[in-house]
Amino acid sequence: MMEAIVQVESHGNNRAKRGSSVGAMQITPILVIECNQILKRRKSKKRYKLSDRFSLSKSKEMFLLIQSNYNPFNNIEKAVRLWNGGLNYSVQRTQRYFEKVMNLLKN
């Protein structure tokens, strides 16, 4: 699923930029802050930097961290919509994105 998201977000381009979203998974500064807050609550010393968004492996780590915190049962639909629409995502607003990701998963 992460590979499908990478394709939808940036076609695999680690240097992709669109507004404040950057990297292969188009991560925003707010998401980096959220990841660091989760790590702090878990008493981890690890922290992400904004430049980590350009690293595919670190972007995937951030994706998994967000999912482990907000989607602990690994629901695929929730994972995709959460990544696109944030914590308070709208099914209607994330529908097109969800369909793109799911179509890539089917092929």
Side-chain angles (χ1 to χ4, degrees):
M1 176 189 51
M2 277 193 284
E3 292 306 320
I5 288 173
V6 166
Q7 288 307 309
V8 170
E9 292 286 1
S10 69
H11 302 289
N13 180 359
N14 288 337
R15 308 306 283 160
K17 291 183 183 180
R18 185 170 186 199
S20 64
S21 301
V22 302
M25 297 188 81
Q26 292 292 282
I27 295 176
T28 62
I30 293 167
L31 190 125
V32 175
I33 291 167
E34 181 63 24
C35 285
N36 287 335
Q37 288 174 343
I38 293 167
L39 290 168
K40 185 177 180 182
R41 284 194 302 269
R42 293 182 181 181
K43 307 215 182 312
S44 171
K45 300 253 185 249
K46 181 173 187 153
R47 295 295 183 270
Y48 291 103
K49 302 178 300 241
L50 288 177
S51 59
D52 291 337
R53 299 177 296 165
F54 292 105
S55 161
L56 183 56
S57 63
K58 288 184 180 179
S59 293
K60 287 180 177 182
E61 286 175 17
M62 286 187 260
F63 174 86
L64 292 172
L65 181 61
I66 290 292
Q67 295 301 324
S68 72
N69 198 70
Y70 296 107
N71 185 18
F73 299 110
N74 295 318
N75 177 291
I76 290 175
E77 180 175 353
K78 183 172 183 174
V80 173
R81 292 185 190 280
L82 177 66
W83 193 251
N84 178 243
L87 298 179
N88 299 311
Y89 66 83
S90 152
V91 171
Q92 184 178 357
R93 288 192 181 135
T94 58
Q95 187 60 32
R96 213 167 135 228
Y97 182 87
F98 176 71
E99 289 170 2
K100 284 181 187 179
V101 171
M102 295 311 290
N103 284 336
L104 283 173
L105 284 175
K106 289 176 189 171
N107 295 331

